[in-house]
Amino acid sequence: MQRRCSTRAVIACFCALLSEYAAAAGAPTTLPSTYDSAQALRLLDATACAADTQSHGVEVAQAATPSPTATPTPLPAPNMPGVPNGTLQFFPTPLPNTTPAVTPPPLPSTVTPTPSSGPVFLTRGPQPSPSIVPAGQGIPAPTPYPTGVPTLAPGQIGVVSDEVAGNVSAGHPGDAIGNVHIFYGTEEIVGDRAHYDGDRTVTITGHPYIVDQEQDSVLFADEIYFDVIDQTARLVNGSGASRQGVDRGLVHYTAQDLHTDASGVGHGQHPFLTTCEHARGGYHVTGKNMVVIPGDRIIIYQAILWLGAAAVFFLPEVIIPLRQVEAQRTRPQYFPDVGYDEYEGFWIQTKYAFGTSPYYYGYYELNYYTKVGVGIGYVAFFQRRNNRRSGNINFYRIHDRRVDETEVNLTAQEIENYSKTLHSTINYSYQSNYGPLTDVPANETLTFSIAHQTQQDSQNYTFTHSAVGTESQSNALTFADAVQFNSHLSNSLNFSMTNDEANYGGYSSSNASATLDDVLSWTTKGANYQLTWDKSYARVPSGDNDIPQLEIRPYEFFPHFIFPVSADFTIGEYSEPSNAFATQRADLAFVLGPALYHVFGSDFQATVDVNQYAYGTGDLKASITQLMTLTTPVTSHIVNMITYNEANYNGPAAVPFEYLDQLPTQNTKGAQDQLRFFNGSAYNVDLGFSTLFDARAQPVSYQVQVSPSSNSVVLLGGSFLPGPGLGFEETNVQFSAPIGTSTQVEFAGNVNWDLQRRVTDKIVYLTKTIGQCYQIQALYNEDSKLLDISLNLLAFPSQGLGFNVGQGQSVIPSNLNF
């Protein structure tokens, strides 16, 4: 049986073969001459070839005739400002590759002596003919230990080429010629020729490059010097490209003295980085030095952001992630945001990320406001390697020069895992009153909980302290216990004690309370039964108690009735401590419907809710609510929907309980008619009419959406008040439209018809795309006199600021949500 495998899957299979031969104390010295690892930049398809490696062979179905191997040749590099000519390689997606045929690995045909140290050289040979087995004889069993072939020990280096020149044994120089591939760790070096000096250095020439087979990253160079002992590579005029974590295009970078260590991490001086295919018309970043962690991030130190030929920002550190942002818990900005608002003046906001380990990382926040001062923030996440402890902290401090006060926001969390079933959590938050037009006292909250959980039961102890300045404070201790006796029976017990104190304007109050709540649940094939005991004790009592309550919810109730019917029966003893009243209560609740009918091309739907209450005092009361909808398509572009709702109440509204089962004193009914005109996405008009059957005219609502083109839209919405001196009051207007080929403007505002059609509450968004590489986005809010300008890289759209019609944005750090 044959499977179609991607070339990169074949590479994975080939590496598996090398490992198996190494474990068997022997390795074949011939490999397919058509193998080319430039395809390693394609996605792995290990599943498609997993079954084919079980017999030391890979069968691949090829649609085209096999052709000779072509040497991978990078495209020439364009000249860029500040970059030596020919040092940066640009490649359209996909990265450079050839399309050779792939054949199964041949049996060993030649033997190359294995040096006592250094790389193992393997040569490719022709595919041998299958062995002929005489009639009547069985196929001989394969030999598990090949003789006379080199052995690959763990961590050893394999060199695969078309031919080997010279004696490549220990201490003797030699050359690998033709389609050279050097395998070490998770990296692979590809070139036309490799010279081994017999000691520790292999020099690779002929358009060489390094492929990170797992992370889709590649490094190009004029020459590569590979140290076989340290397993490090030094690149002459090195450059690189990666598509990891990039939604559009590639990350291109180059640096002087670019080299990689044994783990594949790259280091270089005077880097140049961009995600634009034409950096002169887009942006690029230069710096003093650079660190490239494949599959994780690129870090540039002492970075300068260039827009075209203009230097715009200097940043101590810029981090470009080589992974999708959904996997990140921090979202630092690449470049500062600048803007102005009436409250804080002109400002600049920046975030600097730190940490290359998943056990400790985060970012610093530095904001400067001309009217307020400097704000400093620190956000960090940490975790022990054994996962016993983890946590995070978010701190922000700003000194308001206008009132000479320092405001601080802080949240912190720590989680401790004592065992698989026992853990504790500590949360603390403190927030000052920094923000526009804010005059709220500082508040703080501290929560400590310890929980034990197994598959059958769980216990949780929690202490909570909260305070708002000196005006109020509260302390609470809770205990929760849940037990699953079996698949049908469970119990949940909750106990809490609370102490509250308040002091507002010289008036003081305090209260202490305790609550016990227990719910026993029993599930059968026909119904669910819940027995509840809920009682509270308080210095100042309030609310009601269930002592106890039994609730029965059948799964099916009259299952063969003409329309669906569901029921819920409740009976129990209830008390109100505030007025020392207690009595029995029963509630029979039914839901009839929804009933669905199709009549004369219209869809009709109706639902009725019925509640019947009975009390130990002899009182009876009931409520009936109903909702009916009739939807009628008038034409293919017109739809009318009529909705009718009605609520009827019977019996005493406010007795016998003061808090329980309070019903309105008047019956209500109303009807709405929605008329919709539409034509696909070209336009949509909704008109809404309503009545309360009280002989009073109700407002007529309207909503209009028009799309003149695929990338433009106009929205209008509001209401019309019928009657003398009324009419239109305010209309909300929103639109989004292109200006030229690379600029989009969005607007939101309200037209006030009573103020001579004045437009108020204006918000304007402007997005300018440059070089199909990055966007400059500007936001203006008239109410707060806010102007915000930011840079959004199209290669990382999920990390940039996205604008939408009708949605504003606050730049004040009034909360500390992660």
Side-chain angles (χ1 to χ4, degrees), residues 102-292:
V102 181
T103 58
L107 298 176
S109 60
T110 58
V111 176
T112 303
T114 303
S116 58
S117 63
V120 175
F121 286 79
L122 307 174
T123 61
R124 300 182 179 88
Q127 176 71 26
S129 302
S131 301
I132 300 177
V133 180
Q137 297 185 13
I139 300 176
T143 304
Y145 300 100
T147 59
V149 296
T151 300
L152 289 177
Q156 202 165 10
I157 302 165
V159 181
V160 181
S161 62
D162 293 338
E163 60 178 299
V164 173
N167 187 352
V168 290
S169 60
H172 296 82
D175 294 273
I177 304 172
N179 198 16
V180 180
H181 295 258
I182 302 176
F183 298 93
Y184 68 101
T186 61
E187 310 293 320
E188 178 183 355
I189 303 179
V190 181
D192 292 342
R193 188 183 185 96
H195 173 72
Y196 176 51
D197 65 357
D199 182 15
R200 62 183 298 169
T201 302
V202 178
T203 303
I204 304 95
T205 58
H207 310 291
Y209 58 90
I210 301 177
V211 178
D212 184 343
Q213 299 180 13
E214 297 180 355
Q215 304 299 341
D216 285 350
S217 297
V218 61
L219 293 171
F220 302 97
D222 294 341
E223 290 183 342
I224 297 178
Y225 296 94
F226 178 67
D227 190 313
V228 299
I229 298 178
D230 295 337
Q231 295 194 9
T232 60
R234 183 169 63 87
L235 293 83
V236 178
N237 293 331
S239 63
S242 174
R243 67 167 60 98
Q244 272 290 324
V246 181
D247 288 355
R248 179 187 299 190
L250 301 169
V251 176
H252 305 281
Y253 55 91
T254 185
Q256 297 179 7
D257 190 24
L258 183 61
H259 59 278
T260 63
D261 57 26
S263 61
V265 176
H267 304 267
Q269 304 295 322
H270 306 293
F272 178 102
L273 181 144
T274 184
T275 57
C276 302
E277 297 301 324
H278 304 285
R280 288 184 179 273
Y283 83 95
H284 63 274
V285 180
T286 61
K288 182 178 180 180
N289 48 51
M290 174 179 67
V291 175
V292 181

Side-chain angles (χ1 to χ4, degrees), residues 671-685:
Q672 299 81 38
D673 183 13
Q674 182 181 7
L675 186 60
R676 181 186 175 204
F677 304 86
F678 62 93
N679 184 12
S681 61
Y683 66 85
N684 185 88
V685 180

Side-chain angles (χ1 to χ4, degrees), residues 574-596:
Y574 303 87
S575 67
E576 291 182 341
S578 59
N579 53 26
F581 175 77
T583 189
Q584 298 80 27
R585 167 186 175 270
D587 176 19
L588 280 71
F590 303 93
V591 177
L592 288 72
L596 305 174

